[in-house]
Amino acid sequence: MITSPFSFFSLLMIFITAVLFCEKRLQWRLFKIIPALTFIYFGGMIGASLHIWELTPEMRLFIGKLKYYLLPMMLFLLLLKNDIRDVFKLGPRLMGSFLAVTASIVAGFIIVYTAFKSHFEVDAWQTLSILSSSWIGGSTNMAATQQGLNVADGSQALTYAFLMDNICASIWLVLMISFAPMREKFNKFSGANSADVDKIIDHINITAAKNEDKREYEFMDFMITIGLGLAVAGAVMVLGKQYVNPGNLTDENFLSGLRGFFSGSGWVVVLATIAGIIGSMTPLKSVKGPDHVGSVLLYVVVGLISTSTDFSTIDFGDTVFYILAGFLILLFHLMVLLIMAKVFKLDLYICGIASQANIGGSVSAPILAGTYNKALVPAGLMMGIFGSAIGTVSALMLAKVLMTL
């Protein structure tokens, strides 16, 4: 049993590297269906449940602090390389579909929670809020929402959210991929014109070709990336802890509710997201390296979260109910998606990418897009990034709604 935090972290990094090596270098076909993050989730959880490392107070403190410091840096760097304005150039149908999908998912969470509230545990609103963040932009937002809601690592609320996300979302991805050969039948059902999607594909390819930096990576690229990421992370942590309180607002001031809407850590997440969006509209987006460093931090943060989740403390009788609730949310989302496709004559590719960009985020949306058509990979990536930008804030606001129900 591992008791040293640094030995634990070394093992975690070796495991993450091994999983990514199998996906990127060996290109195992399994990873085309199930993302590497899923294996990292389950691997970390299984390791904690088998007590390969001991979750002592010292270990939990180490995991919590490291995750807290890396999280805002990760959010900023992942958002920096994608100009959010490019997303709006993809056409009103694609953006409209994405936002409609987001609305259907949020509505699904509210409906299911309201219908089964008496069967849920007291802190179920935390579970569903954290899960909703992953289903509006991917796993990046789960860590951020957990931090924003001050949910402890290893808590049952967090563990249920992980289980629902991994089981339900993985099956959803497989379902979306299986629809790929049915595009013609689906478009006949919806009345969609595939030529509209083809024009979007051409626009994305042209834009990507213009912005691509062909030069090799240099030493200073990574130094600038790390320095810039740490600087922004440090700044937003200071501002977040101060609750963003300009003018020393009093309780009587109507604006005072703004700073108290989220906790201090919640403001850290929001400010890091805003910094990334603003930075993506400036020359900072030309810095080479943030996408790679941000991706590394994503896998590390997700790994840190999963390794503090001990299955052995879970009541699996309750777990089945939570998983069923997750499938009911997805079923509601699917019904809305089909109705929306029929009414607005949407192509299968648009519906699938918009759905997966929400539920899977920037990790699995490009995988699904590539399954449909390789030229759609940039669209899946950008839509996933857009989901990452709004997912955390949407989830924190949903948490406020669920608390009042």
Side-chain angles (χ1 to χ4, degrees):
M1 180 183 295
I2 296 174
T3 57
S4 167
F6 296 102
S7 298
F8 152 79
F9 187 64
S10 298
L11 178 63
L12 173 63
M13 293 304 299
I14 291 172
F15 172 66
I16 293 174
T17 302
V19 171
L20 295 178
F21 181 82
C22 293
E23 180 192 35
K24 307 295 185 183
R25 289 292 179 86
L26 300 182
Q27 297 184 344
W28 288 3
R29 297 174 65 89
L30 180 63
F31 290 103
K32 294 182 178 181
I33 300 176
I34 304 176
L37 272 178
T38 299
F39 289 96
I40 293 174
Y41 274 148
F42 278 112
M45 291 178 181
I46 292 172
S49 300
L50 294 177
H51 302 141
I52 295 176
W53 49 85
E54 185 177 356
L55 291 173
T56 60
E58 179 189 10
M59 187 75 79
R60 290 191 181 277
L61 181 63
F62 173 82
I63 294 173
K65 283 192 173 182
L66 185 58
K67 178 168 61 68
Y68 178 75
Y69 292 138
L70 294 181
L71 181 61
M73 181 178 177
M74 176 197 74
L75 290 172
F76 172 73
L77 293 178
L78 284 177
L79 292 170
L80 188 62
K81 292 296 289 184
N82 295 270
D83 191 333
I84 207 71
R85 294 171 295 184
D86 287 340
V87 176
F88 294 98
K89 298 176 184 177
L90 299 176
R93 287 193 177 185
L94 192 58
M95 278 305 304
S97 299
F98 178 88
L99 295 176
V101 166
T102 302
S104 73
I105 293 173
V106 171
F109 273 97
I110 295 175
I111 292 172
V112 170
Y113 180 77
T114 302
F116 299 100
K117 182 180 178 181
S118 60
H119 300 283
F120 283 125
E121 296 185 356
V122 176
D123 59 354
W125 66 272
Q126 295 179 339
T127 297
L128 296 184
S129 298
I130 293 172
L131 179 63
S132 74
S133 69
S134 181
W135 288 4
I136 309 175
S139 303
T140 307
N141 296 325
M142 287 187 85
T145 304
Q146 178 209 353
Q147 196 76 51
L149 295 177
N150 287 325
V151 177
D153 289 338
S155 65
Q156 284 199 349
L158 185 61
T159 303
Y160 285 143
F162 283 145
L163 285 171
M164 293 170 73
D165 184 45
N166 280 282
I167 295 174
C168 299
S170 295
I171 292 176
W172 183 258
L173 175 59
V174 173
L175 182 65
M176 290 291 101
I177 291 175
S178 67
F179 283 161
M182 305 178 187
R183 186 191 186 194
E184 185 177 343
K185 293 181 179 179
F186 184 92
N187 289 353
K188 185 177 180 180
F189 156 78
S190 66
N193 183 1
S194 301
D196 294 339
V197 177
D198 295 335
K199 290 180 181 178
I200 295 174
I201 292 173
D202 292 338
H203 170 76
I204 294 172
N205 285 335
I206 292 172
T207 302
K210 288 181 179 178
N211 293 334
E212 186 177 1
D213 191 344
K214 302 294 185 180
R215 69 182 178 83
E216 296 291 331
Y217 284 99
E218 299 177 356
F219 172 77
M220 283 306 301
D221 291 324
F222 289 103
M223 286 303 301
I224 292 173
T225 297
I226 294 173
L228 183 63
L230 288 172
V232 171
V236 300
M237 281 192 287
V238 171
L239 293 173
K241 284 297 184 182
Q242 295 300 317
Y243 289 87
V244 191
N245 188 18
N248 294 319
L249 299 177
T250 63
D251 292 337
E252 290 74 23
N253 191 305
F254 75 100
L255 290 177
S256 63
L258 176 63
R259 69 186 183 93
F261 189 80
F262 304 130
S263 65
S265 55
W267 276 114
V268 169
V269 170
V270 173
L271 291 174
T273 301
I274 293 174
I277 293 175
I278 295 175
S280 71
M281 302 179 188
T282 70
L284 288 177
K285 69 177 182 180
S286 63
V287 176
K288 199 172 180 68
D291 48 345
H292 290 298
V293 176
S295 296
V296 170
L297 294 177
L298 168 62
Y299 289 111
V300 173
V301 169
V302 169
L304 288 170
I305 294 173
S306 66
T307 52
S308 60
T309 304
D310 187 350
F311 276 138
S312 63
T313 63
I314 295 299
D315 182 349
F316 284 94
D318 292 336
T319 301
V320 173
F321 181 77
Y322 276 91
I323 293 173
L324 176 61
F327 281 122
L328 288 175
I329 294 169
L330 291 178
L331 178 61
F332 176 81
H333 160 59
L334 178 60
M335 293 172 58
V336 173
L337 195 63
L338 292 174
I339 294 172
M340 184 177 67
K342 185 67 174 179
V343 172
F344 297 103
K345 303 182 185 302
L346 298 178
D347 184 273
L348 171 66
Y349 290 172
I350 287 182
C351 292
I353 293 174
S355 175
Q356 196 59 40
N358 274 275
I359 296 174
S362 58
V363 176
S364 61
I367 295 174
L368 178 65
T371 302
Y372 289 160
N373 188 306
K374 290 183 179 180
L376 288 170
V377 171
L381 178 61
M382 283 194 288
M383 295 300 288
I385 291 294
F386 184 72
S388 298
I390 68 172
T392 302
V393 176
S394 299
L396 293 175
M397 295 179 70
L398 175 64
K400 293 292 182 179
V401 174
L402 296 183
M403 287 174 63
T404 61
L405 295 177

